[in-house]
Amino acid sequence: MDQRHQSHHRPQHTNSNHHDNHQSTFKRDMDDSGRGHFQHKRFRPGQNHHPAGPSTPPSSPPTQSLSVQRQLYERDFPLYKQPVEVGHFSLDSERRFFNDARQLRYYVEPEKSCPNFDLRDGYRGRFVKRDDRVKEKLDHILRWILANRSKLQLKDTAASSSPCALGVDIVTWRGHLTKLLTTPYETREGWLLAVTRMGGTLYISEVETEAARRDRENRTERHEEMMYWGYKFEQYTCADDAQSLPDPGGVVNTNEAFCTVVQTRLAEHRLLFSGEVDCRDKDPKAPSPPANYIEMKTSLEISTPKQRSNFHRFKLLKWWAQSFLPGVPRIVAGFRDHDGVVVSVETYHISKISQLIKNETNCWKPTVCMNFCCEFLSFVKSVVTEDNPRVVHLFSWDPHRDVTYSIHRDSQYSFLPDWYVKEMTSSTSRETHHQHPPQI
Ligand code: 0WD
Ligand code: CA
């Protein structure tokens, strides 16, 4: 690993590993003897802290929860290692998986600062929409893991005593981590995250909430059309290869995707996650992935101070969290009017966003987002101890509430497919064999 990869994401913060002495934010009920119901070396009874008042009376059943209150997470920025791309994959127009970069596109800067792109063009006749009733869960990432696991495991065997394990603590989508990062500031939408431990690795997969399902089934025609606008903007600005130009006359097909797979570490949590990447810098001298990736966004043009403030306080939080996680350094934003015409294009550097929001009162803080995510992962690790692909711990959060969970065995929530479990458990010895060929 070179020096750059050893460095940490530390926007505006000094490096400090704060994890040995901070107050725990787990809420834990005491049993009759006064002992806590779960054991974790960092969360001893007495060190426990929760601002919500006295613990539950001894007679009530044991519950465990995690507080989301912002002030509990206002401490030094946790260690977040520079994310390293360990692979990528593509999904084609029929959502078929390929272990390659065939869907990666190249950013072509618009010729004018006011490009007048019409984002409504093609919605009626040149649009193939992915069926969002189909829940793919972690399947594509799991396919990538099976196709690349010898690489992953080889890297890990030197350091690990269990060569069958993947060498990471957490496998998930980047989008799920984005939701965790923004949770301390979210006031509208809750979430459900299913967690299963297998081979020592925790797999985290989202479950659609009832409210999200209702929203999806009751979208207005206007909302459906506006969801297309973001993809249309990508089509105006992205080309299939470094030499060619975008083709605004083509079909927009949202089945197509290019996803990066990155590895990184948040404090003690080794993470492997995948996220969709819109395009890359077409300069062949651009830095290596993920530093050459660009995230495309659209947003309503800003005309009033109130709109600017809302943009900083709510939209930039989501944009920052999403791109910071995989180490994507730039966002290109198309600002559009109410008719879907792009009136300006602006670039945001992720490393400068925290400066940009500094003058906003009561604004979000990157450190709160990262510390909450870190604490949630610790909470999950301490709760999900049974290593069993058939068991799901369902973590649940609603705005203004704590995170709680329930346990489900052989239920509708099980999400690790048989083909993955079989392959991971049966080929352990074969893989080990690969790494330690017998001496003849
Ligand atoms: O079925 C589902 N509910 C999920 C699907 C949950 C999580 C992920 N996915 C799929 C997406 O279809 C996509 O292929 O995983 C891939 C992306 O994962 P991610 O990068 O972790 O997701 P996120 O960061 O939330 O979204 C990245 C992009 C979005 O870009 P914008 O600029 O809008 O944030 O992935 C696209 C979208 O372009 N995207 C989706 N496209 C279709 N259906 C979806 C979705 N449900 N979610 C994200
Ligand atoms: Ca995008």
Side-chain angles (χ1 to χ4, degrees):
M1 236 181 231
D2 64 30
Q3 193 55 45
R4 203 167 50 83
H5 289 160
Q6 292 285 1
S7 66
H8 309 146
H9 273 342
R10 282 182 284 113
Q12 87 203 333
H13 298 272
T14 53
N15 185 20
S16 161
N17 197 339
H18 214 71
H19 273 266
D20 291 323
N21 56 6
H22 73 261
Q23 285 185 306
S24 170
T25 35
F26 289 25
K27 183 163 71 184
R28 173 184 43 196
D29 300 317
M30 299 295 155
D31 64 20
D32 287 349
S33 68
R35 282 182 290 114
H37 282 290
F38 70 87
Q39 306 287 316
H40 189 291
K41 64 179 191 318
R42 281 180 29 228
F43 303 98
R44 293 185 198 93
Q47 281 190 339
N48 216 33
H49 169 77
H50 190 272
S55 59
T56 318
S59 57
S60 66
T63 58
Q64 295 163 20
S65 61
L66 176 69
S67 171
V68 169
Q69 291 185 55
R70 292 166 206 170
Q71 65 270 26
L72 296 171
Y73 302 99
E74 295 209 13
R75 45 179 187 261
D76 286 352
F77 204 80
L79 178 149
Y80 190 64
K81 285 193 85 172
Q82 190 76 50
V84 175
E85 179 174 88
V86 290
H88 47 245
F89 58 86
S90 295
L91 304 173
D92 74 359
S93 58
E94 292 168 56
R95 208 69 183 165
R96 288 175 301 205
F97 174 96
F98 294 89
N99 187 29
D100 59 39
R102 68 184 67 192
Q103 295 291 349
L104 175 57
R105 293 173 300 174
Y106 295 77
Y107 177 62
V108 179
E109 203 176 323
E111 284 191 0
K112 293 171 285 193
S113 65
C114 178
N116 275 316
F117 296 143
D118 176 8
L119 302 180
R120 304 178 87 154
D121 178 55
Y123 177 65
R124 300 264 163 222
R126 302 192 318 279
F127 178 30
V128 178
K129 186 175 172 282
R130 188 183 83 95
D131 183 351
D132 53 16
R133 293 165 306 183
V134 178
K135 300 303 171 209
E136 301 175 322
K137 297 172 267 195
L138 298 186
D139 290 6
H140 297 306
I141 302 179
L142 304 182
R143 272 185 202 104
W144 181 89
I145 290 174
L146 287 189
N148 296 276
R149 83 198 129 142
S150 50
K151 235 176 16 187
L152 274 176
Q153 289 169 328
L154 269 177
K155 264 178 58 180
D156 189 56
T157 36
S160 165
S161 55
S162 56
C164 61
L166 273 183
V168 295
D169 302 303
I170 311 284
V171 168
T172 193
W173 281 107
R174 176 268 310 273
H176 303 357
L177 294 173
T178 307
K179 284 198 177 170
L180 289 170
L181 258 63
T182 58
T183 295
Y185 300 102
E186 181 61 52
T187 56
R188 290 187 203 168
E189 291 169 12
W191 46 250
L192 288 170
L193 292 170
V195 183
T196 291
R197 185 187 284 266
M198 188 176 79
T201 297
L202 294 158
Y203 295 82
I204 306 181
S205 179
E206 185 177 38
V207 172
E208 188 172 48
T209 63
E210 277 304 306
R213 185 182 57 79
R214 272 198 309 273
D215 287 352
R216 178 170 54 77
E217 287 172 351
N218 297 309
R219 279 180 209 135
T220 61
E221 183 48 41
R222 166 92 178 162
H223 188 187
E224 285 286 346
E225 183 177 345
M226 287 173 70
M227 287 177 67
Y228 166 78
W229 293 357
Y231 296 104
K232 185 66 189 176
F233 180 57
E234 293 172 19
Q235 194 194 46
Y236 275 114
T237 51
C238 300
D240 287 344
D241 47 75
Q243 293 77 36
S244 54
L245 290 173
D247 174 21
V251 170
V252 169
N253 185 325
T254 59
N255 287 298
E256 297 175 2
F258 167 79
C259 295
T260 179
V261 182
V262 302
Q263 218 172 323
T264 182
R265 187 153 62 87
L266 171 58
E268 71 271 35
H269 310 295
R270 294 168 298 172
L271 316 178
L272 179 79
F273 59 86
S274 175
E276 193 172 322
V277 170
D278 294 326
C279 57
R280 56 156 289 179
D281 189 328
K282 69 185 166 108
D283 185 346
K285 291 198 286 289
S288 57
N292 59 346
Y293 290 153
I294 303 170
E295 172 65 35
M296 308 301 295
K297 292 287 182 202
T298 57
S299 193
L300 182 64
E301 61 179 320
I302 297 165
S303 332
T304 67
K306 181 79 185 155
Q307 282 176 331
R308 176 167 306 274
S309 170
N310 282 339
F311 174 76
H312 285 168
R313 297 186 54 182
F314 305 110
K315 201 157 256 187
L316 275 187
L317 163 61
K318 296 203 166 154
W319 290 9
W320 170 83
Q322 185 190 41
S323 289
F324 177 76
L325 278 163
V328 170
R330 275 184 290 169
I331 296 172
V332 171
F335 289 95
R336 48 131 190 113
D337 63 18
H338 287 284
D339 300 321
V341 175
V342 173
V343 293
S344 72
V345 174
E346 247 164 275
T347 298
Y348 291 88
H349 292 269
I350 300 307
S351 60
K352 293 185 182 157
I353 286 180
S354 56
Q355 282 300 122
L356 211 64
I357 59 161
K358 275 260 160 64
N359 293 330
E360 236 31 90
T361 49
N362 244 327
C363 205
W364 57 276
K365 294 189 178 86
T367 197
V368 169
C369 303
M370 297 302 283
N371 282 316
F372 171 73
C373 182
C374 188
E375 205 76 18
F376 174 77
L377 297 178
S378 298
F379 179 54
V380 168
K381 267 186 192 169
S382 72
V383 166
V384 185
T385 52
E386 186 177 345
D387 204 292
N388 185 341
R390 291 156 55 182
V391 173
V392 164
H393 285 69
L394 187 63
F395 289 81
S396 165
W397 178 73
D398 282 308
H400 315 296
R401 300 258 187 266
D402 291 349
V403 179
T404 57
Y405 68 90
S406 51
I407 308 172
H408 308 263
R409 215 167 275 269
D410 294 319
S411 74
Q412 53 171 325
Y413 297 117
S414 293
F415 62 88
L416 288 180
D418 287 340
W419 52 260
Y420 183 74
V421 175
K422 228 178 247 156
E423 194 69 18
M424 287 303 276
T425 46
S426 72
S427 55
T428 299
S429 57
R430 198 179 69 216
E431 280 297 315
T432 316
H433 215 70
H434 265 314
Q435 288 143 24
H436 308 288
Q439 300 294 310
I440 302 170

